[in-house]
Amino acid sequence: MFPSRMWKGLVTQTQDQALTELLTINETIRAYGLVLTPHDVKHLISARNEALHNYGRIEFGFDVSRRLIEEFAPSPYIDAENFVSVLHELHDIFYYFKNETEDDISDATLIDIMRDRFNGHCAGSVDLLKSSLEAYAKNFRKELHQDELFAHGGDDE
Amino acid sequence: MSNGDFQALVPRELVNKSNLRQNHYSISLINEGLRTRLLHRQEAYLIQTELVLIVQELIRRYTRGDSSSVAVETAERLFTSMLYALDMQMRSYERPEVALTALKSQDTRNLYKTGVERVRQCFEETRLLYYEIRRTKLDVPVDAYNTTIDESLPALLLSINTALCLTRITRWRVSTTLSQSMTYRYTAFYI
């Protein structure tokens, strides 16, 4: 049985540090007219935890949250009004597609793809971003399985 | 006499071996250490934190540093692998009390590394046994027998080797628990 208490202790410890760490991003995003309050950050952490729980994942550190904030803050479709709510949804999308791409895509690459599509043909629509990524993930898996098939075929020879 | 000196004079109950589990031996040893007061709560907490940090490092290697999160199942597999190696080391001590002393006084990471080395040696013995089986294989038309020796065992051997060489993983999803090495060993003996 997985001793969940051990994880819980460490995760709680790092979440307190995360609050302070994520608030320092304000120095960067202020240039785009955006500010995260401690209340916003706490909610973001909750959204992140909920997404991790929903998609059966475990994460150490808050690099993904930090990168999502930094990469999406300069978007022309983000403003002070929608920033926090979009970030909530982006966390959900990110962990969902980590699973859908079978953990075979790096955090940085997935965030880059999300940002480019959000700013590009999705024009700031989170719903369109989801649909676009569904198609991407489907193709990605198809190619992945084809590669595996060839790799196995190569082993047999 | 200070309060601490007085506590040190209180006779401590020895570990009850029936409370030690074959599966997750180290965890049951820590629990038993707490029960018998051979281990303080703070010491147990420090050991647990070290174990989590080892798993964190294994996850980093597993994802090649490209991902900060993994599926719960993957984390569980890595955690079980880590515990299996630590268990190998803890079981190697003459008595559980000595194992507890080692846990208290030595670096948990080093204990884990020594355990991994023990598993590796066990794996090497298993590998040699397999070669012996291949060499003495009977020429009989029994599918189950031939498939086990020619296909299943080499695949298992490869997956265990992969788990032992986490740093050299070429595919993220190729992973297995070290505990399979024992399964393999038993299988090899059985055949």
Side-chain angles (χ1 to χ4, degrees):
Chain A
M1 187 58 69
F2 195 56
S4 56
R5 276 180 305 152
M6 289 170 64
W7 296 100
K8 214 174 177 181
L10 198 82
V11 169
T12 311
Q13 195 183 15
T14 52
Q15 282 185 8
D16 295 336
Q17 295 163 356
L19 181 64
T20 319
E21 192 187 311
L22 291 177
L23 282 172
T24 63
I25 303 176
N26 277 328
E27 291 165 24
T28 314
I29 62 174
R30 200 164 279 135
Y32 308 105
L34 304 167
V35 174
L36 286 171
T37 65
H39 177 79
D40 293 336
V41 173
K42 277 183 186 167
H43 273 80
L44 274 183
I45 292 173
S46 297
R48 171 242 188 210
N49 292 346
E50 197 182 325
L52 284 168
H53 177 77
N54 288 344
Y55 300 122
R57 299 186 68 80
I58 283 179
E59 182 175 53
F60 292 103
F62 287 80
D63 278 359
V64 167
S65 299
R66 188 180 53 76
R67 281 188 67 98
L68 284 173
I69 296 168
E70 284 175 350
E71 295 295 332
F72 282 80
S75 168
Y77 300 103
I78 292 286
D79 56 32
E81 212 165 293
N82 69 3
F83 187 39
V84 176
S85 64
V86 169
L87 278 174
H88 280 214
E89 296 195 67
L90 291 174
H91 274 83
D92 191 80
I93 290 171
F94 176 85
Y95 295 112
Y96 174 72
F97 282 102
K98 282 295 282 187
N99 281 355
E100 290 300 295
T101 50
E102 301 185 9
D103 271 341
D104 217 63
I105 189 165
S106 73
D107 290 353
T109 307
L110 181 55
I111 291 173
D112 285 351
I113 292 167
M114 286 168 66
R115 183 204 54 214
D116 291 348
R117 288 174 185 231
F118 183 81
N119 291 339
H121 67 269
C122 297
S125 162
V126 174
D127 288 336
L128 280 179
L129 178 65
K130 278 184 201 167
S131 316
S132 168
L133 286 171
E134 285 286 5
Y136 173 83
K138 195 177 171 185
N139 269 336
F140 184 88
R141 286 195 304 269
K142 194 176 161 188
E143 283 175 21
L144 190 69
H145 295 154
Q146 272 175 357
D147 288 349
E148 276 177 354
L149 199 67
F150 289 128
H152 282 286
D155 288 345
D156 292 341
E157 284 167 8
Chain B
M1 183 183 276
S2 71
N3 193 29
D5 293 334
F6 178 75
Q7 280 184 354
L9 294 174
V10 175
R12 285 166 169 168
E13 193 185 341
L14 290 179
V15 169
N16 182 350
K17 285 185 184 171
S18 65
N19 287 342
L20 299 177
R21 290 158 51 196
Q22 278 302 306
N23 192 19
H24 290 188
Y25 178 83
S26 305
I27 296 291
S28 63
L29 186 68
I30 291 170
N31 287 334
E32 194 56 9
L34 284 170
R35 190 187 68 77
T36 56
R37 290 193 293 153
L38 289 169
L39 200 65
H40 292 289
R41 194 154 289 281
Q42 186 61 20
E43 288 171 324
Y45 178 78
L46 285 175
I47 294 165
Q48 288 185 357
T49 306
E50 274 296 309
L51 295 180
V52 172
L53 291 174
I54 294 170
V55 177
Q56 199 173 337
E57 176 61 25
L58 289 175
I59 289 173
R60 200 170 294 127
R61 285 188 203 174
Y62 180 80
T63 65
R64 295 176 296 191
D66 283 345
S67 177
S68 57
S69 66
V70 288
V72 171
E73 295 78 17
T74 305
E76 282 178 355
R77 276 206 309 274
L78 292 170
F79 190 82
T80 307
S81 300
M82 185 271 296
L83 272 188
Y84 186 82
L86 186 66
D87 286 355
M88 281 285 269
Q89 177 60 16
M90 289 296 103
R91 281 204 196 91
S92 72
Y93 292 101
E94 197 183 337
R95 289 182 295 118
E97 290 81 5
V98 182
L100 273 173
T101 307
L103 265 179
K104 283 168 69 163
S105 59
Q106 292 182 40
D107 181 31
T108 313
R109 194 172 289 263
N110 284 341
L111 291 170
Y112 160 71
K113 281 181 184 169
T114 316
V116 170
E117 200 44 49
R118 285 182 185 279
V119 176
R120 200 183 300 278
Q121 283 166 9
C122 178
F123 174 73
E124 278 308 306
E125 288 172 29
T126 309
R127 206 164 56 91
L128 293 174
L129 278 171
Y130 173 70
Y131 289 146
E132 186 60 19
I133 290 166
R134 280 292 291 259
R135 197 179 63 78
T136 56
K137 188 182 161 210
L138 303 173
D139 186 16
V140 288
V142 180
D143 274 353
Y145 174 77
N146 289 319
T147 309
T148 302
I149 294 176
D150 296 336
E151 294 172 29
S152 308
L153 291 181
L156 184 57
L157 210 59
L158 180 69
S159 66
I160 296 163
N161 197 29
T162 307
L164 279 166
C165 305
L166 267 177
T167 47
R168 282 186 276 149
I169 277 182
T170 51
R171 297 285 306 150
W172 289 24
R173 278 167 284 111
V174 178
S175 176
T176 186
T177 64
L178 297 182
S179 57
Q180 279 180 305
S181 71
M182 288 309 287
T183 312
Y184 174 71
R185 196 172 188 187
Y186 291 141
T187 311
F189 277 122
Y190 177 75
I191 289 169

